[in-house]
Amino acid sequence: MQLTFIFIGIIGILLLIYSIRILIKSSKNRQLAEFNLDSQTKQIELKSNGLYSLSFLGVGFIDNQGNFKAELKSENGNLIKLNKTFPNYRFRQNGTIGLEYWSFEINKKGKYTLTFKNLNDLIAKKSMLSSKRMFQNNIKTDPIKIIVKKTTAIETRIFSIIGLVIGINALIWGILIGLTNVF
């Protein structure tokens, strides 16, 4: 019986190490571009294939009141599908809160154009809490920055958080029960 719990503890260690590696890898995703949120067309050069994200810097909550949208086009004019992330990953950069809002996958490196349309339909607030948001005014688009960076898939990020919780519990309970012979 003790060997079973020690085995659970070893699995917990492996799961914990794997989850920490994913979190470290996702925190080291590098930023490729940063610019102000406006309706002008931006040029972005993506030098490798992979998963990228469009994030808002300076807000904790974003909502679309109507027709606000972003369009990302490749050099030959093909429209790249932007997937809204759920849940929206929040982060801090130099003390400023940010929100990962869209993700997209690039299969061919090159230059891409990004355009935002209907900026007046954007609702942006500082707090993500609905109890605080109802007392806050909308943030104007002038101080909001857009960040393009490499990202990790939401499923991988959620798996790493769940893996941390299960790994810590399996490690503690497996080793604790396996070494103390409680059962």
Side-chain angles (χ1 to χ4, degrees), residues 23-150:
L23 287 176
I24 290 171
K25 180 183 171 191
S26 69
S27 70
K28 289 185 177 181
N29 287 335
R30 58 174 230 236
Q31 177 177 324
L32 302 171
E34 179 177 330
F35 39 82
N36 292 331
L37 177 62
D38 54 27
S39 57
Q40 295 178 356
T41 300
K42 279 71 170 174
Q43 289 284 340
I44 306 166
E45 185 172 356
L46 302 176
K47 297 180 180 179
S48 64
N49 302 348
L51 191 62
Y52 294 88
S53 70
L54 285 174
S55 304
F56 292 93
L57 188 63
V59 298
F61 174 78
I62 292 286
D63 196 15
N64 186 356
Q65 189 176 15
N67 294 324
F68 170 73
K69 65 179 179 177
E71 286 185 350
L72 183 67
K73 291 183 181 178
S74 63
E75 287 177 307
N76 57 9
N78 292 339
L79 197 62
I80 306 297
K81 184 178 180 191
L82 298 175
N83 302 312
K84 192 173 175 187
T85 57
F86 180 79
N88 295 101
Y89 174 65
R90 285 165 181 79
F91 61 92
R92 286 203 178 269
Q93 180 175 323
N94 300 329
T96 306
I97 192 165
L99 179 74
E100 189 174 293
Y101 196 70
W102 287 296
S103 64
F104 58 95
E105 190 163 359
I106 296 298
N107 297 323
K108 184 180 175 187
K109 61 184 177 180
K111 291 185 179 181
Y112 293 84
T113 57
L114 177 65
T115 309
F116 293 97
K117 297 182 179 180
N118 303 318
L119 291 174
N120 294 333
D121 292 341
L122 177 70
I123 298 172
K125 302 214 176 186
K126 286 280 187 196
S127 179
M128 66 181 198
L129 299 173
S130 59
S131 59
K132 288 177 94 175
R133 274 197 320 258
M134 65 180 154
F135 298 110
Q136 292 178 341
N137 293 329
N138 287 346
I139 300 172
K140 295 180 179 160
T141 58
D142 299 338
I144 300 174
K145 303 268 187 211
I146 298 295
I147 296 175
V148 179
K149 65 179 183 174
K150 281 265 206 188

Side-chain angles (χ1 to χ4, degrees), residues 151-171:
T151 191
T152 306
I154 294 294
E155 300 85 17
T156 305
R157 206 177 279 148
I158 290 172
F159 175 76
S160 68
I161 293 169
I162 292 171
L164 279 172
V165 173
I166 292 172
I168 290 171
N169 278 298
L171 173 67

Side-chain angles (χ1 to χ4, degrees), residues 5 8-13 16 166-177:
F5 286 109
I8 289 171
I10 292 170
I11 290 176
I13 289 171
L16 191 63
I166 292 172
I168 290 171
N169 278 298
L171 173 67
I172 292 172
W173 290 106
I175 301 294
L176 183 71
I177 293 172

